[in-house]
């Protein structure tokens, strides 16, 4: 009887075993704390619109107008020409030359998934930053390929460790992922670091997957971060970006990939990506009409957004560094900080206690990768100042308890 019941259980594929997404996985714990009556403060999700950041009107109007005028059919699989042209002009403004193919996707998440799926065979490996955004490890696990983390150096403003990258490349390496500005550390790569990565990629004929979704959100008067592809027309780079962060529409699910480099060496790969695009039909059609107005219309929401984020970054870094047993590298961009916990306890224990006892939700560093023996957590500094101050007081009280 027991055997029959067991045999009828639908088991998921083995490839789901290693798929984790700590940012949302932590919500289960948060829901338990909420049910137990805690007042919750969510510093775990990088979604500006759940706080006091509002989509610019002209972007909403463009999407509304597209729907009202019945642009509700399927679109071409790579995207509508108007959006592709706007993305290409933006790429050229950023100095990207030799564009071979541009495709519009359901968030840049889908673009990244298509690009990796068209590139990597089971058993091959991809170098990803540690700490880094967990989408990459999830997609690589799904492809039954090997995720090979390379470290970002906390002592050097979280810059990628070039020697570590070089030491991890072998005959089965297909790509180096770069997240710049980085999630979860908020670090911005220097041009020298980018150049060193490009040199390695050219030497070993690797694709550079350059995730630049936070490029416009940089602090302290820095210009937008440098686009990796702008540094060399000879490198094979896919630059990912989208409307989710800088244009305040994460729920639109609009993103894109721009493939650049020597056209004759990339054509076969581009065709692989085009096949994947056709197989999933197209991205959301009407919302693609938001791309041109977003990239080429008024940008006046950006200075205000950056000013508010910078102020919240300052509170975050100052308050965290004032806590004994916690230290935080000053973030140069995005809206994340990745403080180190030096209290002799694992990050998961610290975060679990924090959520259960104070209702403050952050994500353990292990969800993003960290050097063995170190412990961190990721905090999102999108909430308004008063929420941040309360959250950091709660973090200080838990840290004090451990001391
Ligand atoms: N890449 C990074 C580094 C991110 O932090 C995120 C979202 O948090 C994404 C990609 C996903 O972006 P999209 O909303 O365009 O799918």
């Amino acid at each position: 009887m027991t055997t029959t019941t067991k045999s009828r259980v639908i088991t998921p594929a083995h490839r789901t075993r290693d798929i984790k997404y700590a940012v949302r996985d932590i919500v289960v714990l948060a829901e338990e704390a909420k049910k137990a009556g805690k007042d919750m403060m969510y510093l775990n999700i990088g979604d500006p619109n759940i706080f006091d950041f509002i989509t610019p009107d002209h972007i909403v109007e463009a999407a509304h107008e597209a729907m009202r005028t019945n642009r509700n059919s399927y679109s071409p699989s790579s995207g509508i020409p108007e959006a592709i042209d706007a993305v290409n002009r933006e790429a050229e403004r950023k100095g990207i030359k030799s564009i071979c193919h541009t495709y519009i996707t359901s968030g840049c998440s889908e673009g990244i998934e298509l690009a990796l799926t068209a590139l990597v065979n089971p058993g091959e490996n991809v170098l990803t930053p540690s700490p880094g955004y967990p989408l990459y490890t999830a997609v690589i696990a799904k492809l039954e390929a090997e995720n090979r983390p390379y470290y970002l150096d906390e002592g050097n403003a979280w810059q990628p460790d070039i020697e570590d990258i070089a030491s991890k490349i072998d005959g089965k390496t297909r790509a180096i992922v770069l997240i710049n500005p980085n999630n979860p550390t908020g670090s911005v790569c220097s041009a020298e670091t980018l150049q060193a990565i490009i040199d390695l990629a050219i030497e070993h004929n690797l694709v550079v997957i350059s995730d630049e979704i936070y490029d416009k959100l940089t602090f302290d008067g820095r210009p937008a971060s440098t686009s990796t592809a702008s540094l060399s027309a000879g490198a094979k780079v896919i630059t990912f970006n989208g409307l989710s962060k800088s244009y305040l529409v994460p729920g639109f699910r609009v993103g894109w990939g721009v493939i650049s480099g020597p056209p004759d060496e990339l054509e076969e790969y581009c065709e692989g990506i085009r096949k994947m695009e056709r197989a999933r039909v197209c991205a959301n059609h009407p919302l693609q009409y938001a791309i041109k107005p977003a990239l080429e219309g008024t940008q006046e929401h950006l200075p205000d957004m950056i000013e508010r984020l910078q102020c919240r970054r300052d509170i975050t870094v100052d308050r965290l560094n004032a806590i004994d047993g916690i230290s935080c590298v000053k973030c140069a961009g995005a809206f994340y900080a990745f403080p180190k916990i030096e209290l002799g306890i694992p990050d998961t224990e610290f975060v679990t206690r924090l959520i259960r006892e104070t209702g403050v939700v952050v994500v353990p560093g292990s969800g993003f990768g960290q050097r063995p023996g170190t412990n961190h957590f990721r905090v999102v500094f999108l909430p308004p100042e008063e929420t941040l101050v309360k959250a950091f007081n709660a973090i200080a009280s838990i840290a004090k308890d451990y001391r």
Side-chain angles (χ1 to χ4, degrees):
M1 185 65 187
T2 321
T3 322
T4 319
T5 317
K6 256 194 181 164
S7 69
R8 291 186 57 79
V9 170
I10 308 295
T11 52
H14 300 316
R15 69 176 68 89
T16 62
R17 208 170 30 207
D18 294 330
I19 295 180
K20 294 190 183 72
Y21 192 79
V23 178
R24 288 186 182 247
D25 293 347
I26 202 77
V27 172
V28 178
L29 203 60
E31 272 164 11
E32 281 169 22
K34 194 174 175 188
K35 269 201 201 123
K38 280 280 158 222
D39 271 345
M40 305 305 292
M41 280 177 270
Y42 293 98
L43 277 63
N44 61 317
I45 296 203
D47 183 344
N49 297 63
I50 58 178
F51 302 104
D52 55 344
F53 296 92
I54 295 170
T55 312
D57 281 344
H58 69 289
I59 297 179
V60 175
E61 271 155 28
H64 182 214
E65 179 64 9
M67 288 182 199
R68 244 185 21 80
T69 51
N70 200 28
R71 289 166 165 172
N72 299 321
S73 58
Y74 293 124
S75 80
S77 291
S78 297
I80 58 170
E82 172 191 307
I84 292 174
D85 291 347
V87 168
N88 285 345
R89 284 192 292 271
E90 168 93 345
E92 279 157 17
R93 279 195 294 280
K94 294 214 76 177
I96 302 179
K97 294 169 217 62
S98 191
I99 296 173
C100 304
H101 178 54
T102 295
Y103 61 114
I104 312 291
T105 50
S106 296
C108 83
S109 303
E110 189 198 30
I112 292 162
E113 178 157 10
L114 297 189
L116 285 170
T117 306
L119 181 70
V120 187
N121 293 303
E124 292 178 336
N125 67 71
V126 176
L127 270 54
T128 61
S130 175
Y133 182 56
L135 166 71
Y136 292 93
T137 41
V139 173
I140 293 164
K142 190 164 130 182
L143 297 173
E144 299 178 39
E146 184 196 342
N147 175 51
R148 220 172 250 195
Y150 67 84
Y151 291 114
L152 307 187
D153 187 356
E154 187 165 13
N156 181 23
W158 290 115
Q159 295 294 302
D161 181 335
I162 302 297
E163 273 178 29
D164 192 38
I165 297 179
S167 74
K168 285 179 174 157
I169 297 172
D170 66 15
K172 291 199 165 174
T173 307
R174 300 303 308 279
I176 305 176
V177 173
L178 197 67
I179 305 175
N180 180 38
N182 180 265
N183 174 6
T185 63
S187 54
V188 174
C189 283
S190 67
E192 299 77 61
T193 306
L194 295 177
Q195 190 62 57
I197 292 172
I198 283 179
D199 292 346
L200 280 176
I202 293 177
E203 184 189 338
H204 298 277
N205 196 27
L206 307 176
V207 174
V208 178
I209 296 200
S210 189
D211 182 333
E212 301 178 4
I213 191 138
Y214 300 101
D215 64 341
K216 292 184 179 163
L217 303 178
T218 54
F219 307 133
D220 308 313
R222 285 180 180 79
S225 59
T226 305
S227 191
T228 313
S230 72
L231 297 176
S232 163
K236 294 158 186 155
V237 184
I238 315 190
T239 307
F240 287 104
N241 214 319
L243 297 187
S244 293
K245 312 292 178 176
S246 304
Y247 294 97
L248 297 167
V249 284
F252 275 23
R253 310 305 304 126
V254 173
W256 54 82
V258 176
I259 306 177
S260 59
D264 47 337
E265 293 172 24
L266 281 165
E267 185 43 41
E268 267 186 58
Y269 176 40
C270 289
E271 188 45 35
I273 291 182
R274 286 193 195 98
K275 278 190 200 167
M276 303 287 313
E277 290 165 17
R278 295 194 286 269
R280 66 47 152 144
V281 185
C282 64
N284 185 316
H285 182 191
L287 295 186
Q288 293 180 49
Y289 287 90
I291 295 177
K292 182 171 186 279
L295 296 181
E296 297 183 350
T298 172
Q299 306 289 307
E300 65 190 11
H301 71 286
L302 272 173
D304 170 63
M305 183 179 177
I306 290 168
E307 195 184 313
R308 280 195 281 155
L309 285 177
Q310 187 173 313
C311 171
R312 293 170 197 192
R313 185 278 313 258
D314 289 343
I315 292 173
T316 302
V317 174
D318 292 350
R319 292 277 176 148
L320 287 169
N321 278 326
I323 302 171
D324 264 357
I326 296 204
S327 61
C328 184
V329 174
K330 192 172 183 181
C331 343
F335 32 66
Y336 309 100
F338 200 62
K340 191 182 203 172
I341 314 166
E342 284 168 304
L343 293 162
I345 44 151
D347 53 0
T348 43
E349 181 182 327
F350 184 78
V351 169
T352 303
R353 258 197 83 181
L354 188 68
I355 296 175
R356 290 207 174 124
E357 293 179 26
T358 72
V360 171
V361 189
V362 296
V363 187
S366 40
F368 304 91
Q370 55 195 353
R371 275 189 202 266
T374 66
N375 288 281
H376 299 79
F377 60 93
R378 187 190 77 168
V379 43
V380 170
F381 53 80
L382 286 164
E385 287 77 346
E386 48 292 1
T387 308
L388 290 177
V389 169
K390 271 195 216 153
F392 297 130
N393 287 342
I395 290 171
S397 72
I398 296 288
K400 193 170 168 202
D401 229 39
Y402 276 111
R403 282 195 319 272

